[in-house]
Amino acid sequence: ISYRNNVNVRVYDVDMYKASNEWNEFSQFSNIGGTTTVTIDSLKYTLYTSNHTASVMGCVDGVKDATISSSIIYEGVAYNVIAVASHSFENNLGLQSVKIPGSVRILGVNSFVGCKNIKSVTFEEGLENIGQGCFSRCESLTTITLPSTVTILGEDCFAESGLHSVTCLAKTPPACRVHPFDLYCIIY
């Protein structure tokens, strides 16, 4: 592997780099720093020990309402929760609501895809990137309000969902990859 084909990035940034036109020519992405996986308050996290950040990796069975904390403490060390990892809640049929704090900047590719029973998603200001397919096939999700901080909507991020209306608080429209919404969705 030549160095020009390998990029070292934080694990929660890999999907963003792969989706970027400027970086998609690279063939391999490696993770920086050590990690630890823990479960706290029924949510699974990967902790990045080098910079004291964390990504949500899913939840234990039976969780209906997932409230993600902006920070968690593990073994006396605080970790800022800055991402929801790709595929972390994929096809979780028990999940009905999600609350995402402002510390979370990125929702990874297909983070909540196929969560057919999610009726409510609440975002605090701070979220910047909603990854490809993130909420696709979330059939019970009918309305959503995007915070003013959202700058990127990934391809098909709300495709085949139940959305009928979207309220976007951003002054500048977010950059949209191909078809973030279905055609019958009304955007306010």
Side-chain angles (χ1 to χ4, degrees):
I1 298 173
S2 70
Y3 283 99
R4 70 171 193 256
N5 290 329
N6 187 41
V7 178
N8 295 311
V9 296
R10 297 174 297 185
V11 69
Y12 47 82
D13 289 338
V14 169
D15 291 325
M16 229 170 38
Y17 274 82
K18 286 181 178 179
S20 168
N21 288 334
E22 294 82 18
W23 292 90
N24 64 8
E25 66 189 49
F26 290 91
S27 60
Q28 184 174 350
F29 293 85
S30 301
N31 300 329
I32 296 174
T35 62
T36 301
T37 303
V38 299
T39 301
I40 299 173
D41 296 329
S42 300
L43 294 177
K44 299 175 184 178
Y45 297 91
T46 293
L47 309 178
Y48 304 98
T49 56
S50 63
N51 61 2
H52 302 291
T53 59
S55 291
V56 179
M57 302 302 290
C59 61
V60 299
D61 290 341
V63 171
K64 290 182 180 179
D65 304 308
T67 300
I68 298 170
S69 298
S70 60
S71 66
I72 55 174
I73 296 176
Y74 179 71
E75 294 183 349
V77 178
Y79 293 85
N80 291 323
V81 180
I82 62 171
V84 175
S86 295
H87 306 281
S88 52
F89 293 89
E90 185 171 358
N91 296 318
N92 183 327
L93 300 180
L95 204 56
Q96 296 178 6
S97 72
V98 179
K99 292 181 182 174
I100 298 171
S103 64
V104 170
R105 302 287 186 237
I106 300 166
L107 300 180
V109 171
N110 294 330
S111 295
F112 297 94
V113 66
C115 294
K116 296 180 179 190
N117 296 312
I118 288 181
K119 295 177 183 147
S120 170
V121 177
T122 305
F123 302 111
E124 289 182 1
E125 293 291 322
L127 180 66
E128 297 170 2
N129 184 330
I130 299 178
Q132 177 180 344
C134 188
F135 292 98
S136 64
R137 299 192 336 258
C138 291
E139 298 167 1
S140 298
L141 187 62
T142 58
T143 64
I144 199 156
T145 299
L146 301 175
S148 66
T149 51
V150 169
T151 58
I152 298 173
L153 297 176
E155 181 177 349
D156 296 328
C157 61
F158 293 100
E160 299 178 42
S161 67
L163 281 182
H164 297 292
S165 71
V166 175
T167 301
C168 186
L169 302 177
K171 289 181 183 178
T172 302
C176 294
R177 305 290 186 225
V178 180
H179 311 295
F181 305 101
D182 289 328
L183 295 176
Y184 58 84
C185 184
I186 299 171
I187 300 174
Y188 297 96

